[in-house]
Amino acid sequence: MFLQHLECSACGRQHQWSRLQNLCLSCQKPLLAIVDLTAAGRTLTRESVATREKSLWRYREVLPLPRDVEPISLGEGGTPLLHAQKFEDNIDLWIKDESLNPTQSFKARGMSVAVSMAKYLGATKLAVPSAGNAGGALAAYAARARLEAHIFMPRDTPRANIIECRELGAHVTLIDGLITDCAAEIARRKREEGWFDMSTLKEPYRIEGKKTLGYELAGQCQWQLPDVILYPTGGGTGLIG
Ligand SMILES: [Zn+2]
């Protein structure tokens, strides 16, 4: 593993990766993982990646988690890049089909890496506010890791997402309000309940899982990135990653 430390995205303060961290201890802004890319590049090459398993853990050198620790994985990543031939006359459009991830969305990438690190660093109860796919992903990866998942969802969340979380064994609480109200409920109770907050940008490793989308895209485009990438902003972890 070539993760060196965590660095505050605002004030630059360094934090140890080897203990559970949420936000910067000085300014409460998000922490980013700093990886020794030169060292990682000695074994992570285009050729070596091509021979590895299809999951996002093929980029192991640039992901957190010590080498001898088994990741919490359900086979996420390695999704196809499909040519949208219907639009061929006007534009050369390709679609990265993230619905083929284990929990049917790109959220699986972030949760695989974040749950792996949370478990490794000793968390036992994970909490997240979600209006859908992030909750489903946390429920699945927490179940895989044998950790508790506590998911707070707005009451008008699609029923399919609520059922998905419950069937996977998560504790689901429906809140009369928006996702921000769900986040506030977690913030209010997490210390007393012993929950580790897995909210978007409130822990450093969901971004690390999401960044593998970019690596895959580069590889699938023969290491030449497209002129334009259209990407839903959501909470922002995918774009930052
Ligand atoms: Zn800071």
Side-chain angles (χ1 to χ4, degrees):
M1 184 187 70
F2 301 102
L3 174 62
Q4 295 177 310
H5 58 266
L6 301 172
E7 191 172 289
C8 175
S9 56
C11 76
R13 176 174 167 180
Q14 289 190 11
H15 296 63
Q16 292 177 344
W17 68 263
S18 56
R19 45 175 301 196
L20 277 173
Q21 306 273 11
N22 283 113
L23 297 171
C24 173
L25 296 171
S26 295
C27 73
Q28 302 297 304
K29 291 289 192 293
L31 297 174
L32 300 175
I34 304 300
V35 176
D36 182 348
L37 293 176
T38 307
R42 289 189 197 113
T43 50
L44 184 70
T45 62
R46 293 177 186 183
E47 294 72 29
S48 67
V49 162
T51 64
R52 298 183 187 178
E53 59 167 328
K54 216 175 104 195
S55 97
L56 63 77
W57 292 97
R58 59 164 48 181
Y59 306 105
R60 188 76 190 244
E61 286 92 336
V62 286
L63 293 174
L65 201 67
R67 189 83 208 187
D68 57 347
V69 179
E70 187 73 20
I72 306 301
S73 175
L74 294 166
E76 55 292 319
T79 56
L81 186 65
L82 306 174
H83 193 197
Q85 292 166 343
K86 192 175 165 185
F87 301 100
E88 205 166 27
D89 291 344
N90 309 317
I91 192 167
D92 189 19
L93 179 67
W94 294 74
I95 297 170
K96 183 84 169 132
D97 187 359
E98 284 289 284
S99 71
L100 293 184
N101 274 304
T103 58
Q104 291 84 53
S105 87
F106 70 121
K107 302 280 186 181
R109 293 179 186 265
M111 287 302 181
S112 176
V113 176
V115 171
S116 294
M117 282 302 280
K119 182 179 172 77
Y120 172 66
L121 296 175
T124 57
K125 302 174 182 180
L126 311 178
V128 80
S130 171
N133 293 323
L138 179 67
Y141 285 90
R144 181 72 162 169
R146 300 186 182 190
L147 302 178
E148 282 183 23
H150 297 264
I151 299 169
F152 290 76
M153 304 179 115
R155 196 170 294 280
D156 61 358
T157 297
R159 250 178 76 74
N161 295 111
I162 299 170
I163 293 169
E164 177 189 20
C165 294
R166 288 193 169 138
E167 288 298 316
L168 287 163
H171 303 268
V172 178
T173 305
L174 299 180
I175 299 280
D176 290 314
L178 304 172
I179 193 166
T180 45
D181 300 306
C182 298
E185 183 69 3
I186 292 173
R188 191 176 66 78
R189 293 172 54 192
K190 64 183 177 185
R191 185 183 294 260
E192 181 188 328
E193 301 277 1
W195 296 335
F196 181 63
D197 192 346
M198 300 283 280
S199 302
T200 301
L201 296 179
K202 286 189 183 163
E203 64 73 52
Y205 300 117
R206 284 175 63 184
I207 291 175
E208 293 302 293
K210 296 283 182 67
K211 77 183 181 186
T212 60
L213 248 175
Y215 300 150
E216 280 180 25
L217 209 52
Q220 287 169 315
C221 295
Q222 285 70 53
W223 305 103
Q224 194 168 8
L225 283 169
D227 296 333
V228 177
I229 298 173
L230 303 177
Y231 187 90
T233 306
T237 47
L239 282 175
I240 297 169

